[in-house]
Amino acid sequence: MRPIIFIVALLVMSRDFSARSGREGRPAPRPATLQETAARPELPRVYLETRMMATTGRTVVVGPHDDLQAALDAARPGDEIVLQAGATYTGPFILPVKRGQTRTPAAGPVITIRSSALASLPAGRRVGPSDTAAMARLVTARNETHVIGTAPGTAGWRLAGLEITALPNVTVVNRLLRLGDGAVTQNTAASVPQNIIVDRSYVHASATLDIRRCIDLQSGSSAVIDSYLAGCHSTNGDAQALAGYNGPGPYAIINNYLEGSGENILFGGSNISVPNQVPSDIEIRRNYFFKPLTWKQGHPSYAGTPWIVKNLFELKMGRRILFEGNVLENSWINGQVGFAILLKTTGPERLPTTDVTVRNNIVRGAAGGANVAGVDGPMNRIAIENNLFLDIGSNFWGADNGRLFQAANVSDLTISHNAGFAPNMLLSLDRPNQRLTFTNNLVGHGAYGVKAGGMAIGVATLEGTSPGFVFEGNIIVASGHSGTYPPGN
């Protein structure tokens, strides 16, 4: 049955069914005067150029017994530092400030740190553990010590074809790759590192290392592309493959494998040191978000360490974000209720999360689908469109959730052309929502359909939580509920 469901879902996601309303004996939709169509989110204003530029300066070869930090200190924009594939370099290392450094990608020469065998790792192909023979290995040998960090205000670096990890004796690390700083010392725009690209690199922890994040993304104009981030897990708090809150963006996170126990990617959620700085213009495309079942207690493959598991993608603060063409797999009830996608406004500054587009993604195996919530402030202009949700809310992931979508305190929320089934609710609502548009979706009704606490299913919940809503053109698989929903479905 699954191939048939998949094909039907694609058909529903690709066409507008509301035009059929009123035909074939179906009632017409409500008059347009009663409806308020949601405003569209703004897409990123900046898309980073991530192609590798030709070397314009010197080529400096650094052997495994040479002083890599000295080479970094002596390098000039346009140089490339070539590390021996298969060799190990023990850090920590710092990317220093340079005269003539370029703060914007493609605007001038950068310093490239690369493997001598980078040519065997083609651009545009995601690397993985099987590629380590072609990579130079950079490690930390001490607890609580990063492998590579940045000096305040440095700019213009590309890290390509590197394996970045900790030696087996290391048991706890805050982050392996520190691009910028979340501390109060990074409190001006000039102190934020800029123009850093991580390219075709394998950043990972061992099966037992407790680590808060693999890449700390507190920089601006930065990218992570064609890379593999794994083993990012902790028993002491949230852990992420990649997280940022004290950098302005723009960011490009494209074609990576991302493995994190708390959130695979997280933006926001901690104090920012640069006043009113919000991570902005973020492009997250063609990534594979994954949580191994060896982390799931009760599963036959469970490895025995109770890592704190929450969700796959979370925003607590951000604006102009495009989340497109990703695959998200495995999210269960543990530290949270297991939504695959969690979009919120929350945090000490209460700066709003606005203009988020989530489209053309596949979510496969989660306790819940997508949750949008203005917790500590407003959420504005959010679109969830053309996504496919498979295996949501089964007992395996956590039937206590079982909600396909959830929304509270959101303005201009569009949920359209999605397909998915969940056993509890298709849409859980809480007041107040303004200009909610729910159209042209293929969804299962579940036990409670569209529901809010203390309100009846269907129209009563929509009117009580989301006045001016548009709810039409949907195919809802249900039994005995047709009279509780607006006409035109």
Side-chain angles (χ1 to χ4, degrees):
M1 289 296 292
R2 180 168 290 184
I4 296 173
I5 293 173
F6 186 82
I7 291 168
V8 172
L10 292 178
L11 288 171
V12 171
M13 293 159 68
S14 64
R15 64 177 298 184
D16 189 335
F17 280 84
S18 61
R20 300 192 332 196
S21 301
R23 300 178 186 175
E24 302 171 4
R26 298 177 185 180
R30 296 180 305 147
T33 55
L34 299 180
Q35 302 176 336
E36 299 178 74
T37 303
R40 300 294 304 168
E42 182 181 357
L43 292 171
R45 296 175 183 174
V46 179
Y47 293 90
L48 295 179
E49 174 58 72
T50 61
R51 288 178 298 175
M52 195 165 186
M53 303 301 174
T55 299
T56 59
R58 304 168 301 167
T59 295
V60 179
V61 177
V62 179
H65 303 295
D66 297 332
D67 190 337
L68 174 55
Q69 186 61 57
L72 296 173
D73 294 340
R76 300 189 294 264
D79 291 352
E80 65 172 0
I81 297 172
V82 179
L83 308 181
Q84 182 179 319
T88 297
Y89 300 79
T90 302
F93 304 104
I94 294 293
L95 307 180
V97 175
K98 297 292 175 178
R99 182 186 299 274
Q101 61 189 13
T102 304
R103 295 180 68 81
T104 304
V110 302
I111 300 171
T112 299
I113 308 168
R114 69 168 178 87
S115 165
S116 61
L118 186 63
S120 64
L121 304 174
R125 179 179 71 82
R126 183 189 302 162
V127 300
S130 63
D131 293 307
T132 54
M135 297 178 178
R137 189 169 188 250
L138 280 67
V139 303
T140 180
R142 303 199 304 265
N143 283 340
E144 300 290 2
T145 306
H146 58 261
V147 180
I148 300 176
T150 52
T154 190
W157 298 88
R158 189 182 195 100
L159 314 177
L162 306 180
E163 179 185 5
I164 299 171
T165 190
L167 291 178
N169 64 291
V170 178
T171 59
V172 58
V173 169
N174 191 27
R175 58 262 190 171
L176 290 170
L177 185 54
R178 179 179 62 78
L179 307 181
D181 206 318
V184 294
T185 53
Q186 186 171 299
N187 55 13
T188 65
S191 66
V192 177
Q194 297 278 350
N195 188 10
I196 303 174
I197 296 178
V198 180
D199 175 17
R200 288 167 282 173
S201 292
Y202 177 32
V203 185
H204 67 100
S206 69
T208 57
L209 179 66
D210 196 296
I211 179 171
R212 296 303 295 272
R213 57 189 63 103
C214 283
I215 298 182
D216 205 12
L217 195 62
Q218 315 295 355
S219 53
S221 295
S222 296
V224 181
I225 60 173
D226 301 335
S227 293
Y228 196 102
L229 282 57
C232 314
H233 43 41
S234 178
T235 61
N236 297 311
D238 289 16
Q240 301 91 24
L242 191 154
Y245 53 88
N246 202 31
Y251 300 116
I253 304 167
I254 300 173
N255 192 35
N256 304 287
Y257 174 87
L258 303 165
E259 194 177 276
S261 61
E263 303 85 11
N264 298 48
I265 289 183
L266 169 68
F267 282 101
S270 295
N271 290 301
I272 59 174
S273 302
V274 181
N276 298 314
Q277 176 177 266
V278 176
S280 304
D281 303 307
I282 304 173
E283 179 187 12
I284 305 173
R285 293 192 301 110
R286 297 191 292 112
N287 302 283
Y288 182 26
F289 293 66
F290 185 74
K291 295 188 193 297
L293 294 179
T294 53
W295 300 352
K296 188 176 189 298
Q297 298 179 52
H299 191 266
S301 67
Y302 177 57
T305 303
W307 309 117
I308 297 174
V309 171
K310 290 194 173 180
N311 55 66
L312 289 156
F313 173 56
E314 181 171 349
L315 294 176
K316 294 185 177 181
M317 177 175 62
R319 61 189 175 193
R320 297 188 301 276
I321 297 163
L322 174 60
F323 188 84
E324 181 176 39
N326 304 284
V327 174
L328 301 89
E329 190 165 351
N330 300 351
S331 184
W332 56 90
I333 293 178
N334 184 272
Q336 287 180 343
V337 296
F339 276 104
I341 299 171
L342 181 55
L343 312 178
K344 299 193 295 185
T345 289
T346 188
E349 289 81 13
R350 300 189 176 187
L351 297 172
T353 297
T354 65
D355 298 294
V356 182
T357 301
V358 177
R359 68 188 185 195
N360 304 328
N361 304 284
I362 296 174
V363 176
R364 191 163 51 216
N371 182 7
V372 186
V375 177
D376 295 320
M379 293 278 295
N380 302 320
R381 297 182 299 279
I382 312 295
I384 302 174
E385 299 175 316
N386 217 50
N387 303 286
L388 180 61
F389 295 85
L390 299 170
D391 190 15
I392 304 299
S394 66
N395 288 332
F396 183 83
W397 306 111
D400 288 346
N401 185 331
R403 288 161 281 178
L404 191 59
F405 300 108
Q406 180 167 301
N409 193 24
V410 187
S411 297
D412 298 299
L413 171 61
T414 298
I415 301 175
S416 182
H417 289 98
N418 302 283
F421 295 78
N424 193 357
M425 298 184 194
L426 72 89
L427 178 60
S428 174
L429 292 173
D430 199 355
R431 63 169 68 90
N433 299 297
Q434 300 180 26
R435 295 175 299 282
L436 167 67
T437 297
F438 192 94
T439 57
N440 303 306
N441 300 285
L442 168 61
V443 290
H445 185 271
Y448 298 101
V450 179
K451 184 75 170 69
M455 299 182 189
I457 291 172
V459 170
T461 284
L462 290 164
E463 292 180 342
T465 63
S466 312
F469 66 88
V470 178
F471 190 98
E472 63 187 27
N474 304 290
I475 296 177
I476 304 172
V477 181
S479 176
H481 291 284
S482 60
T484 63
Y485 289 91
N489 295 287

